[in-house]
Amino acid sequence: MALATPLRHLLPVAAAPSTAPDPAGPSLTTPRALSLPRSRLRSSLAASPSPEPRPRSVTAAAASAAAGRPTVLVTEKLGPAGLDLLRAFANVDCSYELTAEELRAKVSLVDALVVRSGTRVTREVFEAARGRLRVVGRAGVGIDNVDLQAATEAGCLVVNAPTANTVAAAEHAIALLAAMARNVAQADASLKAGKWQRSKYVGVTLVGKVLAVMGFGKVGSEVARRAKGLGMDIIAHDPYAPVDRARAIGVDLVSFDEAISTSDFISLHMPLTPSTAKLFDDETFAKMKKGVRIINVARGGVVDEDALLRALDNGTVAQAALDVFTEEPPPRDSKLVQHENVTVTPHLGASTTEAQEGVALEIAEAVIGALRGDLAATAVNAPMVPAEVLSELSSYVILAEKLGRLVVQLVAGGSGVKVVKVVYSSARDPDDLDTRILRAMVTKGIIEPISSAFVNIVNADYVAKQRGLQIIEERILLDGSPEIPLDSIQVHLTNVESKFAGALSDAGDIRVEGKVKDGSPHLTLVGSFSVDVSLEGNLILCRQIDQPGVIGKVGSILGKMNVNVSFMSVGRTAPGKQAIMAIGIDEEPEKEALKLIGDTPSVEEFVFLKL
């Protein structure tokens, strides 16, 4: 069942009652879905076209409001169309430029809060709400200003509006690219200062130049389409974008290093995540072609601004055009902002009349849907799950996510994850076992480590679909007591290469299995090898020839390197044949320790996994 259907028992619902929801339902929109870690797993999650948008409707909201109206606080300017939609459903309080203290005073009187990027929704705000605040709507993509953990703990759903400003952001990137190439801003300022400096502001042509699009999501792909029309040659880097989608618009997907070292222009379109923070640093700039030009309309934090300034001063970077900054607004005396070869705008990527109206409608729909109890595809945090559901499935929820995180780390780069099969073994009748939350957690475990998407029961199916990730569920009915929900969960990845051959089943799938033992998740099967290790901390898997002394040698290496072993399990096919050793460790070992393990005689392969 798709998770975009109403499941009110899994969502926090506003105190105000409502009538039947609009049959059209809230429109489905795509969460951000890109990350560019250079050193992490290089598997790709294919994307697929978005579904047709659903029509917006005010009438159903008005009918719902007649039975009892919740209150919505809007703290920053929102387009009139969005406000009209909200007012048809709820009492709307538009209070702008609130201090933190004023916001905390008001929030206990409202059911929903709508903000842009200027309002910080902190833990203190959720505590001040005293349980009444049910929904926070972020009118835009980024959610850096909302404390998601505090929201989840408070049972408050957070939704955003990630698609309405796609075209506006892409157009702004192209505007900056062209303006930078022809020195438009500098020439304008010079002429207004009474100067006539034609020879100083000679630009460069765009035709035939190579543009590297770093992040081939919605905005990146739109930039590529437009730049192609300008006669540019387009390459892109995105380890999780499908090759066929890029080729369809004439774009070649290349490695990170190839993209930055061969391009004349580089346009950044990745989110700010721990793995992309200051991704463009001194080391990265040193690999670039001398005289490269940089455009950033994504997030300021992906660029080390001090490193960019040095690259501008030494000529590695000829020009930069920046719409976003690490600190916004940037300091008045910022050397980067004042640099002669830098064109800047004050975060205008989404600032068009059309985009603002679209964002307003998109966030209004999401907030209204959440207040009615409908599941929102744009939810970015986990909804509050009823205690009776968690009490039965809590351990299996943890198991499902850990199996997903483990199995995706076994994929070799370049093959791409497209089909995931989840097999549940249970004595319970299928109608009495709702696996949606388990499926969501497997999806979460697979997608979150290699992207910036926030995956939960609300949006898991939709996020998977957007990436072309097919989740197939199978059930094996066992004899026994139905009191225990599940005996085991297996996760299979089909048609992919494995970096650890021992994880392959007889059918050639990457296969792992887990069970809950004494309330804790355990790994019980890797490929065709039975093991029994607790899924906590970190894990080393070694495939070896089953002979005396191997376990002792590996354990000795870890001991000498001061790595604490919490558990160890060995599974083998037959005495003296192949075996897998699973070692639980508390901390990540040094590279030297891992190298010594790999050099141990009889160890044929090994892999280190973070759980």
Side-chain angles (χ1 to χ4, degrees):
M1 181 186 297
L3 292 180
T5 55
L7 293 172
R8 290 174 179 77
H9 66 290
L10 294 179
L11 272 178
V13 183
S18 64
T19 59
D22 176 10
S27 63
L28 299 180
T29 50
T30 311
R32 293 175 297 133
L34 175 65
S35 179
L36 297 173
R38 285 177 287 172
S39 60
R40 295 174 67 184
L41 178 64
R42 297 289 185 177
S43 64
S44 65
L45 296 175
S48 61
S50 301
E52 290 296 318
R54 295 181 178 181
R56 297 178 170 95
S57 172
V58 179
T59 55
S64 179
R69 299 170 67 84
T71 299
V72 178
L73 173 63
V74 181
T75 63
E76 296 174 73
K77 290 185 179 179
L78 196 67
L83 287 175
D84 289 344
L85 192 62
L86 287 171
R87 286 173 177 142
F89 176 79
N91 299 315
V92 178
D93 176 1
C94 294
S95 296
Y96 305 146
E97 299 182 1
L98 295 175
T99 65
E101 183 179 357
E102 290 170 337
L103 177 60
R104 290 195 298 271
K106 275 183 169 288
V107 77
S108 64
L109 306 175
V110 302
D111 303 288
L113 172 65
V114 177
V115 303
R116 299 188 75 88
S117 60
T119 302
R120 294 194 59 79
V121 190
T122 62
R123 178 173 293 276
E124 290 74 22
V125 171
F126 290 108
E127 291 174 350
R130 297 196 295 272
R132 177 166 177 180
L133 185 65
R134 311 315 296 162
V135 185
V136 172
R138 164 66 168 96
V141 177
I143 52 169
D144 305 343
N145 54 318
V146 181
D147 189 328
L148 289 179
Q149 182 61 38
T152 301
E153 292 175 9
C156 180
L157 197 66
V158 180
V159 296
N160 67 348
T163 63
N165 59 10
T166 296
V167 170
E171 289 178 345
H172 195 60
I174 294 296
L176 287 176
L177 182 150
M180 173 178 60
R182 299 306 299 269
N183 301 299
V184 171
Q186 294 87 342
D188 174 76
S190 172
L191 186 58
K192 287 177 178 176
K195 302 175 183 179
W196 187 263
Q197 299 176 297
R198 293 181 64 193
S199 61
K200 181 178 181 179
Y201 296 117
V202 174
V204 295
T205 188
L206 299 178
V207 174
K209 295 298 193 300
V210 177
L211 170 67
V213 178
M214 308 302 287
F216 202 66
K218 285 185 173 293
V219 176
S221 58
E222 290 297 328
V223 168
R225 287 188 179 94
R226 285 157 176 76
K228 210 116 168 102
L230 296 174
M232 302 187 79
D233 297 324
I234 315 299
I235 59 176
H237 173 71
D238 184 338
Y240 315 116
V243 174
D244 53 353
R245 185 165 66 91
R247 286 177 178 167
I249 57 176
V251 175
D252 291 328
L253 289 177
V254 299
S255 69
F256 183 90
D257 285 349
E258 182 178 349
I260 64 172
S261 63
T262 61
S263 54
D264 303 298
F265 292 79
I266 298 175
S267 190
L268 310 185
H269 301 286
M270 73 281 289
L272 179 60
T273 70
S275 59
T276 63
K278 294 189 176 182
L279 181 62
F280 289 81
D281 54 13
D282 287 308
E283 180 183 352
T284 302
F285 287 123
K287 297 177 181 178
M288 294 181 183
K289 181 190 294 187
K290 191 172 181 64
V292 71
R293 289 168 168 83
I294 307 261
I295 306 101
N296 187 10
V297 297
R299 285 289 183 268
V302 303
V303 175
D304 182 333
E305 293 179 350
D306 292 334
L308 175 57
L309 186 61
R310 287 189 288 270
L312 285 160
D313 288 340
N314 65 32
T316 299
V317 175
Q319 292 178 293
L322 309 174
D323 185 49
V324 290
F325 306 89
T326 301
E327 178 185 347
E328 295 188 355
R332 287 178 175 270
D333 60 350
S334 168
K335 292 181 180 179
L336 184 62
V337 172
Q338 300 299 329
H339 200 286
E340 182 181 19
N341 295 328
V342 176
T343 301
V344 292
T345 52
H347 205 145
L348 298 180
S351 295
T352 67
T353 301
E354 295 82 359
Q356 293 302 300
E357 181 178 351
V359 166
L361 285 169
E362 189 173 0
I363 198 61
E365 285 181 335
V367 168
I368 290 171
L371 287 173
R372 287 190 309 216
D374 297 344
L375 288 175
T378 58
V380 293
N381 72 326
M384 184 173 60
V385 179
E388 60 271 19
V389 176
L390 282 179
S391 63
E392 181 173 58
L393 292 180
S394 58
S395 297
Y396 299 94
V397 166
I398 297 170
L399 172 64
E401 182 177 354
K402 285 185 177 290
L403 289 175
R405 288 183 179 273
L406 187 153
V407 76
V408 77
Q409 292 180 70
L410 295 170
V411 177
S415 52
V417 180
K418 294 185 178 181
V419 180
V420 179
K421 182 169 71 173
V422 186
V423 181
Y424 309 100
S425 296
S426 173
R428 185 172 293 185
D429 187 279
D431 292 337
D432 295 330
L433 180 63
D434 189 342
T435 61
R436 283 173 296 181
I437 191 169
L438 301 176
R439 181 177 71 239
M441 291 304 102
V442 171
T443 304
K444 177 184 178 74
I446 290 172
I447 292 179
E448 281 196 347
I450 54 174
S451 80
S452 63
F454 297 93
V455 182
N456 54 51
I457 191 174
V458 176
N459 63 6
D461 283 359
Y462 188 74
V463 171
K465 182 178 179 181
Q466 288 301 104
R467 284 151 187 80
L469 188 65
Q470 182 182 9
I471 311 293
I472 300 171
E473 293 182 289
E474 293 183 3
R475 304 193 186 199
I476 297 176
L477 187 61
L478 304 176
D479 294 331
S481 172
E483 293 299 317
I484 299 176
L486 286 163
D487 177 71
S488 67
I489 301 175
Q490 282 191 12
V491 180
H492 300 241
L493 301 184
T494 63
N495 300 318
V496 293
E497 297 177 11
S498 176
K499 64 171 65 172
F500 184 73
L504 295 174
S505 68
D506 294 339
D509 300 343
I510 297 178
R511 177 175 65 177
V512 295
E513 178 191 88
K515 297 184 178 184
V516 171
K517 298 186 176 184
D518 298 323
S520 299
H522 281 238
L523 179 67
T524 55
L525 188 71
V526 177
S528 301
F529 297 88
S530 295
V531 294
D532 187 5
V533 292
S534 178
L535 286 172
E536 59 184 29
N538 300 302
L539 188 65
I540 296 175
L541 295 178
C542 297
R543 184 167 63 90
Q544 71 219 43
I545 300 298
D546 182 37
Q547 62 184 33
V550 179
I551 296 173
K553 289 177 182 178
V554 173
S556 178
I557 290 170
L558 294 173
K560 288 179 180 179
M561 292 294 177
N562 200 32
V563 177
N564 188 51
V565 175
S566 57
F567 49 79
M568 181 181 290
S569 174
V570 177
R572 62 186 184 180
T573 55
K577 301 295 184 181
Q578 294 284 315
I580 279 187
M581 175 167 43
I583 308 166
I585 53 178
D586 293 333
E587 57 277 316
E588 183 173 354
E590 298 290 336
K591 291 182 179 179
E592 182 182 355
L594 294 175
K595 183 178 183 302
L596 289 172
I597 291 173
D599 291 341
T600 301
S602 299
V603 173
E604 298 184 340
E605 62 172 348
F606 77 98
V607 63
F608 171 72
L609 305 169
K610 292 184 177 181
L611 300 177

